[in-house]
Amino acid sequence: MACLSPSQLKKFQEDGFLLLEGFLTAEECVAMQQRIGEIVAEMDVPLHCRTEFSTQEDEQLRAQGNTDYFLSSGDKVRFFFEKGVFDKKGNFLVPPEKSVNKIGHALHAHDPVFRSVTHSPKVQALVRNLGLQLPVVVQSMYIFKQPHFGGEVFPHQDATFLYTEPPGRVLGVWIAIEDATLENGCLWFIPGSHTSRVSRRMIRAPAGSRPATSFLGSEPAWDNNLFVPLPVQRGGLVLIHGQVVHKSEQNLSDHSRQAYTFHLMEAAAGTVWSPENWLQPTTELPFPPLYI
């Protein structure tokens, strides 16, 4: 599974995304689910840190882009919640384990289960097969897509938030921990859209400034007819070019759509991680090399 055929490589280059079915076993997926259940059970988030996650621009800037809890999460394991799960005082309106939108952004560094998956020999072999010489891990997330109210993710390019010079040096690795279906909010892509420019960028302001983030440019009004769905069975892996446009719908089904995803940057050949990105390497956690 780690060795891509010439036709698979060609398809990824043409479409900007590629599905590899059965990349992880059911047992590997269960191990991650069990570990994330333990992490959620131990979750202790102070009232003032209970941040609702959104992909709408105005809500991003208000709820995440101006909170230190979000902006300093690049080297930590932190919890972000669905909209509407808190009362006005910040108390949970639903069971806490049903309220989490995602956990990010450094599971790959701080948890042995997720570190072992991220740096597994088959992931390393796959990325080598793609030709990446010096990939580093810039972030990781566990996404829950809770049943009945797992939030919609609006059309976007990952490079909006993870920008490099030259562009096109970011690769997303998205693994289905549960089946991702049309009913529970699978990914949708615009094939070939990775050849377009980065239309919008989230910019971090200098320390102490408010607002702490802003957007340069704007997201085009993408034609819904251009999107194609990508259902994925448990254990399937999706390669995502940093500039391909993708989205997911709200989950109104009875089943969650859990996934583990991480992003790599090709650090070779003079790649520069934008100093304006919200996420920055730290002294405590420089971006770790994938090949270890």
Side-chain angles (χ1 to χ4, degrees), residues 57-71:
E57 183 168 314
D58 57 339
E59 292 180 351
Q60 281 176 330
L61 294 179
R62 182 178 67 254
Q64 293 131 229
N66 287 316
T67 63
D68 290 336
Y69 185 77
F70 176 80
L71 291 172

Side-chain angles (χ1 to χ4, degrees), residues 217-239:
S218 58
E219 203 68 53
W222 299 105
D223 183 351
N224 258 336
N225 293 321
L226 297 176
F227 286 91
V228 297
L230 190 69
V232 183
Q233 293 183 342
R234 165 185 270 193
L237 180 149
V238 184
L239 294 170

Side-chain angles (χ1 to χ4, degrees), residues 143-147 174 178-181 184-187 248-249 251 255-259:
I143 302 169
F144 290 81
K145 206 75 166 180
Q146 302 281 5
W174 189 99
E178 298 178 308
D179 291 349
T181 67
N184 70 3
C186 69
L187 298 171
S248 66
E249 305 292 344
N251 181 8
H255 304 285
S256 58
R257 190 225 65 186
Q258 295 184 15

Side-chain angles (χ1 to χ4, degrees), residues 155-178:
H156 68 283
Q157 299 165 294
D158 290 341
T160 289
F161 309 97
L162 310 172
Y163 186 77
T164 62
E165 288 288 355
R169 297 293 179 88
V170 169
L171 174 72
V173 178
W174 189 99
I175 301 170
I177 307 303
E178 298 178 308

Side-chain angles (χ1 to χ4, degrees), residues 1-13:
M1 283 304 301
C3 186
L4 299 179
S5 67
S7 62
Q8 287 175 312
L9 282 167
K10 184 171 185 287
K11 184 167 180 58
F12 178 63
Q13 292 163 357

Side-chain angles (χ1 to χ4, degrees), residues 92-272:
F92 287 103
L93 295 171
V94 300
E97 67 274 11
K98 299 294 185 183
S99 68
V100 185
N101 173 287
K102 72 172 188 175
I103 298 175
H105 289 91
L107 282 165
H108 64 279
H110 295 305
D111 187 86
V113 172
F114 291 94
R115 185 188 305 120
S116 67
V117 171
T118 306
H119 295 276
S120 67
K122 55 186 169 184
V123 167
Q124 293 186 35
L126 171 62
V127 175
R128 281 197 174 94
N129 195 212
L130 288 168
L132 275 69
Q133 299 174 25
L134 188 60
V136 295
V137 188
V138 300
Q139 72 164 5
S140 57
M141 299 178 287
Y142 195 96
I143 302 169
F144 290 81
K145 206 75 166 180
Q146 302 281 5
H148 303 299
F149 55 85
E152 176 182 5
V153 176
F154 291 87
H156 68 283
Q157 299 165 294
D158 290 341
T160 289
F161 309 97
L162 310 172
Y163 186 77
T164 62
E165 288 288 355
R169 297 293 179 88
V170 169
L171 174 72
V173 178
W174 189 99
I175 301 170
I177 307 303
E178 298 178 308
D179 291 349
T181 67
L182 288 171
E183 292 74 28
N184 70 3
C186 69
L187 298 171
W188 294 66
F189 292 90
I190 299 181
S193 57
H194 62 299
T195 60
S196 60
R197 66 181 180 86
V198 180
S199 56
R200 185 175 66 123
R201 288 182 56 198
M202 188 180 195
I203 301 299
R204 184 166 184 159
S209 301
R210 284 293 183 267
T213 56
S214 60
F215 281 100
L216 290 180
S218 58
E219 203 68 53
W222 299 105
D223 183 351
N224 258 336
N225 293 321
L226 297 176
F227 286 91
V228 297
L230 190 69
V232 183
Q233 293 183 342
R234 165 185 270 193
L237 180 149
V238 184
L239 294 170
I240 303 176
H241 189 286
Q243 287 173 228
V244 72
V245 178
H246 56 291
K247 67 174 185 175
S248 66
E249 305 292 344
Q250 186 176 6
N251 181 8
L252 299 177
S253 79
D254 296 331
H255 304 285
S256 58
R257 190 225 65 186
Q258 295 184 15
Y260 175 59
T261 182
F262 56 93
H263 285 87
L264 306 172
M265 177 183 72
E266 170 61 282
T271 305
V272 175

